[in-house]
Amino acid sequence: MFTGARSRFVELNDRGGQAIGAWVTSADSSTTAIFGEVGYDFVIIDGEHGALGVRDILLHIRAAQATGTVAIVRVLKGDPTQIQQVVDLGADGVLVPKVETAEQAAACYAATQYRAGGRGFCPMVPAAGWTGENWSEHASRSNREVIFIPLIETVAGVENFESIANVDGVDFAFFGLGDLAQDMGTDMYAGREQLLTIWEDCRDKAERLALRLGAPGGVGFDGTSFMTIGGDLNYVRATGAERLAKFRDAVPARS
């Protein structure tokens, strides 16, 4: 049985490993199925920058469930109604862009939870199996296993990182270097050293606060609890360009 996002991530960390995932921006849920089949621990279904509608997100979630992969959805913004919608669809986690304050983080977390002032009650959704049977068990497991991940990608988010990390229910966070660099008035290459310094400071605070911190892999951000290593359409483009170049080099040009 699928153990749930929180249990999966914690188990991997306790064994000394990291959860490894990929971004999904294609509307075709086959990409999520492929990531699951080859052994990725999670996917981030990108509802912010990907060309995905609600039905597309649902199909990606189902593909992840079919392959035992954690399905995290990045919503367009920190809107509690959007957050509730994707967890009702069956998302195992929600990634919220540009979280900048503790108050914002608390409101987003509440939208993932069946509790007073939080997520609305409705058994007729995929996450509940379209039934109210064993509701208490479903609600308890969902509250425990669904993870809320604030995306720290602005100067304000960095400045308020510790207060965000101290919010009840914030046990994970993701470091977004691209938007952070842009917010700082630089880019992720020219500002690399400054970004690494900020990362190390946030990582040290996260360790002290028992927060599991994620970041893009392969760019020098060491000490992550979970990381992404590219995405579906990036892989298609890179592989397509590489194979095309090899083929053209191997075939003599016509005279």
Side-chain angles (χ1 to χ4, degrees):
M1 179 180 178
F2 180 60
T3 55
R6 183 180 301 276
S7 294
R8 174 77 68 88
F9 281 36
V10 170
E11 179 186 358
L12 283 166
N13 291 166
D14 287 348
R15 296 203 315 257
Q18 298 169 299
I20 298 176
W23 293 90
V24 168
T25 56
S26 169
D28 187 347
S29 60
S30 297
T31 60
T32 287
I34 291 168
F35 284 134
E37 288 289 345
V38 301
Y40 281 70
D41 300 301
F42 68 96
V43 292
I44 300 179
I45 303 160
D46 195 355
E48 182 186 15
H49 294 297
L52 306 176
V54 174
R55 183 175 181 275
D56 301 318
I57 290 172
L58 173 60
L59 293 177
H60 277 290
I61 290 171
R62 288 177 174 171
Q65 291 170 340
T67 54
T69 309
V70 169
I72 297 169
V73 176
R74 177 161 69 173
V75 292
L76 184 60
K77 60 180 179 178
D79 180 343
T81 59
Q82 289 187 18
I83 294 169
Q84 175 176 297
Q85 182 179 59
V86 298
V87 291
D88 277 352
L89 292 177
D92 302 302
V94 182
L95 180 66
V96 177
K98 293 182 171 61
V99 174
E100 297 185 322
T101 67
E103 292 77 14
Q104 183 186 5
C108 292
Y109 171 68
T112 70
Q113 299 291 294
Y114 290 115
R115 70 181 196 190
R119 179 180 177 184
F121 167 88
C122 183
M124 296 176 291
V125 295
W130 301 278
T131 178
E133 295 180 9
N134 301 317
W135 180 262
S136 294
E137 181 181 340
H138 160 69
S140 176
R141 184 179 186 278
S142 179
N143 285 352
R144 181 179 66 253
E145 290 291 344
V146 170
I147 57 177
F148 158 59
I149 308 173
L151 187 48
I152 307 300
E153 55 180 351
T154 65
V155 172
V158 170
E159 291 173 346
N160 294 321
F161 178 77
E162 195 160 357
S163 63
I164 292 169
N166 274 313
V167 170
D168 180 41
V170 177
D171 302 317
F172 300 82
F174 196 84
F175 195 73
L177 72 159
D179 276 348
L180 176 57
Q182 181 173 276
D183 203 42
M184 291 163 51
T186 182
D187 62 59
M188 54 190 288
Y189 304 103
R192 176 178 174 78
E193 293 305 316
Q194 190 175 1
L195 287 168
L196 285 172
T197 298
I198 294 171
W199 161 257
E200 290 167 359
D201 179 62
C202 289
R203 182 196 59 199
D204 292 345
K205 289 176 180 175
E207 289 178 357
R208 179 166 51 82
L209 296 168
L211 178 81
R212 299 176 193 275
L213 191 58
V219 291
F221 289 9
D222 298 325
T224 55
S225 294
F226 60 106
M227 64 179 177
T228 55
I229 52 171
D232 52 2
L233 298 184
N234 307 91
Y235 289 165
V236 171
R237 187 187 191 283
T239 302
E242 179 185 2
R243 291 180 67 86
L244 177 62
K246 287 182 178 179
F247 182 82
R248 282 188 167 156
D249 288 343
V251 178
R254 293 181 179 179
S255 57

